[in-house]
């Protein structure tokens, strides 16, 4: 990565997963408008279409597909054309706040496939390119649920703790090769994320705690600006950090 303008992304190629909505949408918008070539990917083809229409004139390539499929991962990396400077792993799903004794195998598996395994797969796919160039920035999305047990159900909480572990492992392993890996841990954010509770017991436990401790919800752009800052040269000395963007919730 050449160290020129700290917020300009001219000549940089970024992959953003979950570009169709919320934090991924906002991250794609900021990166593309700052000059990056963005490979925008999401399972929702119609929302990707809306994104590219909105960003007409900017360098955005949309790839629709399920990020848990290796085929989609390969398509995304091929679209980058041999150089990836930034990987923002934003796609994720909630779990209905199902506690351990209520979570079904399918929910557990899907949450882990999207929130954790896909993050590993995209990381694994871009690492050879980043190593070749001796630089790169990977930004994962953790959550307040990566810090505590009172925000999501068993699967979501475990998956976001796993994102922290994966982030720290890659930061440690590839830092010496010029590749930084960090995560943003958002508090509540106004997005399309399905926050519905599917467990009465889950609601009875988390509801009062959330009401008492949660900061007011943020806008997706506020989280995206943190993602983009971590991806930029302005954060060149930051590696392995789990950066809360939660209005102070993590202090409670
Ligand atoms: N919204 C919040 O309050 C909040 C809080 C903490 C963390 N997060 C995390 O932020 C990230 C982004 O979520 P958001 O709030 O912007 O939600 P969102 O639902 O608005 O956006 C997530 C996007 O990911 C896409 N996606 C889901 N599964 C996919 C798959 N299998 N393949 C490809 N794309 C897929 C969805 O279609 C959607 O467009 C997630 O990792 C989420 O866990 C959100």
């Amino acid at each position: 990565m050449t160290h020129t303008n700290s917020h300009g992304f001219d000549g940089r190629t970024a992959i953003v997963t979950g570009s169709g909505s919320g934090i991924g949408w906002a991250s794609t918008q900021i990166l593309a408008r700052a000059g990056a070539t963005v490979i925008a990917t999401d399972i929702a083809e119609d929302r990707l279409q809306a994104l590219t229409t909105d960003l007409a004139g900017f360098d955005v390539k949309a790839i629709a597909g399920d990020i848990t499929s290796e085929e989609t991962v390969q398509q995304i990396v091929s679209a980058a054309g041999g150089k990836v400077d930034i990987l923002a792993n934003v796609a994720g799903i909630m779990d209905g706040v199902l506690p351990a004794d209520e979570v079904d195998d399918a929910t557990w598996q899907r949450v882990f496939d999207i929130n954790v395994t896909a993050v590993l797969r995209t990381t694994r796919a871009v690492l050879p390119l980043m190593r070749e160039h001796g630089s790169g920035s990977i930004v994962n999305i953790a959550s307040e649920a990566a810090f505590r047990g009172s925000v999501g159900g068993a699967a979501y909480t475990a998956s976001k703790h796993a994102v922290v572990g994966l982030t720290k492992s890659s930061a440690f392993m590839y830092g010496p090769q010029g590749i930084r890996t960090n995560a943003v841990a958002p508090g509540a954010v106004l997005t399309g994320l399905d926050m519905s509770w599917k467990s009465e017991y889950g609601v009875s436990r988390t509801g009062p705690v959330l009401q008492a401790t949660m900061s007011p919800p943020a806008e997706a752009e506020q989280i995206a600006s943190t993602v983009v800052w971590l991806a930029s040269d302005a954060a060149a000395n930051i590696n392995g950090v789990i950066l809360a963007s939660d209005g102070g919730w993590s202090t409670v």
Side-chain angles (χ1 to χ4, degrees):
M1 215 175 269
T2 46
H3 293 257
T4 49
N5 182 340
S6 58
H7 293 289
F9 288 92
D10 288 343
R12 305 284 169 88
T13 300
I15 292 173
V16 181
T17 75
S19 281
S21 175
I23 299 164
W25 172 288
S27 302
T28 305
Q29 289 275 353
I30 299 174
L31 285 165
R33 291 174 194 278
T37 296
V38 188
I39 316 302
T41 182
D42 202 287
I43 201 167
E45 201 165 357
D46 54 335
R47 285 190 264 111
L48 268 187
Q49 181 70 52
L51 178 72
T52 46
T53 303
D54 200 55
L55 283 171
F58 294 96
D59 194 359
V60 179
K61 295 177 195 167
I63 309 266
D66 187 332
I67 198 63
T68 66
S69 120
E70 189 61 36
E71 197 189 332
T72 304
V73 172
Q74 291 309 322
Q75 276 177 10
I76 294 162
V77 175
S78 313
K83 183 167 152 290
V84 176
D85 301 292
I86 295 159
L87 167 65
N89 283 306
V90 185
I93 57 166
M94 264 290 270
D95 66 350
V97 197
L98 294 164
D101 70 333
E102 292 181 51
V103 69
D104 54 285
D105 284 352
T107 300
W108 178 273
Q109 195 61 53
R110 189 74 181 144
V111 168
F112 266 76
D113 283 351
I114 298 171
N115 293 7
V116 187
T117 311
V119 175
L120 170 73
R121 286 194 172 167
T122 52
T123 300
R124 196 168 58 191
V126 303
L127 276 170
L129 301 175
M130 289 183 170
R131 288 167 102 167
E132 199 181 313
H133 288 270
S135 68
S137 177
I138 300 171
V139 184
N140 298 325
I141 304 293
S143 166
E144 202 67 29
F147 301 138
R148 60 193 77 229
S150 55
V151 177
Y156 189 76
T157 303
S159 76
K160 292 301 185 180
H161 277 69
V163 168
V164 170
L166 185 52
T167 301
K168 289 185 179 175
S169 171
S170 295
F172 171 75
M173 292 290 181
Y174 306 111
Q177 298 177 21
I179 302 165
R180 300 183 295 107
T181 310
N182 294 289
V184 179
V189 195
L190 296 167
T191 68
L193 198 68
D194 178 5
M195 299 285 197
S196 57
W197 276 310
K198 293 184 180 131
S199 159
E200 267 180 45
Y201 185 69
V203 185
S204 75
R205 288 294 297 151
T206 58
V209 180
L210 293 178
Q211 205 166 13
T213 61
M214 205 176 87
S215 301
E219 299 290 336
E221 290 71 20
Q222 292 176 292
I223 310 303
S225 64
T226 311
V227 171
V228 171
W229 177 74
L230 280 173
S232 77
D233 290 348
N237 197 40
I238 307 213
N239 189 28
V241 157
I242 313 303
L243 183 53
S245 175
D246 64 359
W249 186 2
S250 57
T251 63
V252 181

